[in-house]
Amino acid sequence: MTAKQPRLEIEYCTQCRWLLRAGWTAQELLTTFTAELGEVALVPGTGGVFDVRLGGETLWSRQEQGGFPELAALKQLVRDRIAPDRDLGHSDRHRKPSDG
């Protein structure tokens, strides 16, 4: 059985007990992108990792960006790659004028 595309991965730190945060993020993304995402995978990791990848491309890295992604910003990053013409409603209205 082949994975449906696009595949989004959320790698989370088991030592930090971030499974609930990863699960909540996955739920929010699956609820928003019901028809656009093929699957969302939760990937156990260690060392404080919280990375979100789409098709192998890292959209968010806790180590690089410092901290966790704002959900609205993460939805915009996903949308820009899989459904660029899609309006995210209130998530788009929270953008700063300099964002775009």
Side-chain angles (χ1 to χ4, degrees):
M1 182 171 152
T2 26
K4 295 180 181 179
Q5 296 299 324
R7 181 176 201 261
L8 186 130
E9 296 178 349
I10 301 171
E11 185 176 2
Y12 64 95
C13 180
T14 57
Q15 297 167 314
C16 301
R17 302 193 182 278
W18 288 338
L19 173 59
L20 287 177
R21 181 183 292 269
W24 173 74
T25 303
Q27 176 184 328
E28 288 292 321
L29 292 172
L30 283 167
T31 300
T32 300
F33 301 104
T34 55
E36 294 89 356
L37 284 173
E39 72 173 309
V40 173
L42 300 179
V43 181
T46 57
V49 67
F50 196 90
D51 290 354
V52 180
R53 294 183 291 271
L54 181 65
E57 175 191 3
T58 300
L59 300 182
W60 185 270
S61 171
R62 182 178 173 275
Q63 183 177 18
E64 291 175 21
Q65 274 94 359
F68 296 99
E70 293 283 333
L71 192 57
L74 184 58
K75 286 181 180 183
Q76 290 168 3
L77 289 170
V78 171
R79 183 270 320 269
D80 290 349
R81 283 154 182 83
I82 65 173
D85 295 330
R86 174 133 182 238
D87 178 21
L88 292 176
H90 71 277
S91 292
D92 275 339
R93 288 193 276 281
H94 288 295
R95 293 176 104 171
K96 297 174 194 160
S98 62
D99 285 351

